[in-house]
């Protein structure tokens, strides 16, 4: 799990990167929760997502956005953080010019950043949004959403209430060619304290099935 430092728009950014042994392996970028609420790349859900993509044979990165950990700069309300995510993606694509696919996976605030990045990078082939803060941020920019993905909510999540996420899912599912795989864990709150294994199982199930439909090879478990 080598540490990497790469150039961001507001200084150097700190990340952890796993390079797959598979030739032309797909890429995954994992985005952490809100920096002002303790969100870092070492967050439990963020780390679990990273390990899931590693297990599935991806080359995968998680990183600290500006002002977090050893990353330079300061929090920018989400705008600069989208540019940080784009810089992380640029670095991964430079290292992996022949990658067979590209996934974005975000948790909480990271889900908002990830979906913003999705709209800017047409090469993204799939996405994961866990507890997206649909009640606090306007996701109306997903019009049209460029591809299908997986959305996960907790039934007892006060920070990202399930009804707001369901409303977003319903809206996305009306778009042509988009089908959101929506999974709700009724007993889960925002941190998914007892449901992280269920979350990663859902991610692995969704990604594996989607990649099979796209005829992209994945490493055997």
């Amino acid at each position: 799990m080598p540490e990497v430092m790469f150039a961001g728009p507001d200084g150097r950014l700190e990340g952890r990167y796993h390079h797959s042994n598979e030739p032309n392996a797909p890429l995954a970028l994992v985005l952490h929760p809100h920096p002002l609420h303790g969100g870092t790349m070492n967050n439990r859900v963020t780390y679990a997502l990273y390990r899931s993509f590693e297990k599935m044979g991806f080359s995968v990165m998680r990183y600290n956005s500006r002002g977090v950990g050893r990353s330079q700069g300061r929090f920018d309300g989400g705008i600069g953080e989208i540019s940080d995510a784009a810089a992380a993606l640029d670095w991964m694509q430079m290292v992996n010019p022949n990658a067979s696919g590209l996934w974005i996976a975000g948790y909480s605030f990271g889900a908002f950043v990830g979906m913003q990045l999705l709209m800017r990078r047409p090469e993204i082939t799939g996405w994961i949004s866990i507890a997206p803060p649909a009640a606090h941020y306007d996701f109306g920019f997903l019009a049209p959403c460029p591809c299908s993905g997986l959305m996960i909510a907790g039934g007892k999540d006060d920070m990202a209430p399930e009804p707001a996420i369901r409303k977003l899912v319903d809206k996305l599912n009306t778009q042509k060619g988009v089908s959101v795989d929506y999974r709700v864990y009724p007993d889960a709150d925002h941190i998914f304290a007892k449901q992280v294994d269920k979350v990663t199982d859902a991610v692995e199930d969704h990604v594996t099935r989607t990649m099979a439909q796209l005829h992209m090879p994945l490493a055997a478990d």
Side-chain angles (χ1 to χ4, degrees):
M1 199 181 299
E3 177 181 336
V4 294
M5 300 292 290
F6 58 95
D10 197 29
R12 296 206 311 164
L13 298 172
E14 171 191 20
R16 297 290 183 277
Y17 171 70
H18 165 77
H19 189 76
S20 175
N21 292 326
E22 301 295 317
N24 306 325
L27 307 180
L29 182 65
V30 181
L31 305 158
H32 66 68
H34 204 296
L36 300 188
H37 300 290
T40 78
M41 66 175 174
N42 294 322
N43 165 270
R44 187 162 169 255
V45 174
T46 304
Y47 178 77
L49 286 170
Y50 176 93
R51 291 307 300 265
S52 285
F53 279 105
E54 179 183 346
K55 176 182 173 184
M56 289 186 287
F58 281 67
S59 289
V60 56
M61 176 192 278
R62 67 189 204 276
Y63 69 97
N64 281 328
S65 60
R66 59 184 63 198
V68 179
R70 294 171 59 203
S71 291
Q72 296 175 328
R74 61 177 61 185
F75 180 68
D76 190 40
I79 304 301
E81 285 70 23
I82 298 166
S83 298
D84 293 343
L89 206 49
D90 289 343
W91 185 90
M92 289 188 76
Q93 290 177 313
M94 179 186 67
V95 176
N96 301 275
N98 299 311
S100 58
L102 173 58
W103 284 70
I104 301 295
Y107 165 47
S108 190
F109 175 75
F112 172 73
V113 174
M115 297 304 269
Q116 288 273 5
L117 186 63
L118 172 69
M119 297 302 293
R120 291 160 168 77
R121 302 296 281 259
E123 69 270 31
I124 293 173
T125 49
W127 52 266
I128 311 290
S129 282
I130 299 172
H136 303 287
Y137 291 90
D138 182 4
F139 281 77
F141 59 84
L142 292 169
C145 184
C147 62
S148 300
L150 169 67
M151 207 165 275
I152 294 176
K156 295 181 178 178
D157 188 340
D158 294 330
M159 295 182 68
E162 190 277 330
I165 299 174
R166 183 177 295 274
K167 187 176 179 181
L168 172 59
V169 170
D170 289 345
K171 189 174 180 180
L172 292 176
N173 278 336
T174 65
Q175 295 185 18
K176 185 178 180 180
V178 174
S179 176
V180 178
D181 181 355
Y182 185 44
R183 309 197 191 193
V184 180
Y185 299 104
D187 296 328
D189 59 15
H190 195 64
I191 63 172
F192 294 89
K194 297 180 180 179
Q195 293 85 14
V196 171
D197 287 346
K198 290 182 179 178
V199 168
T200 55
D201 285 348
V203 168
E204 291 169 23
D205 173 64
H206 175 84
V207 172
T208 301
R209 286 191 296 107
T210 301
M211 296 289 276
Q213 291 168 4
L214 296 172
H215 306 295
M216 292 178 178
L218 271 179
D221 289 342

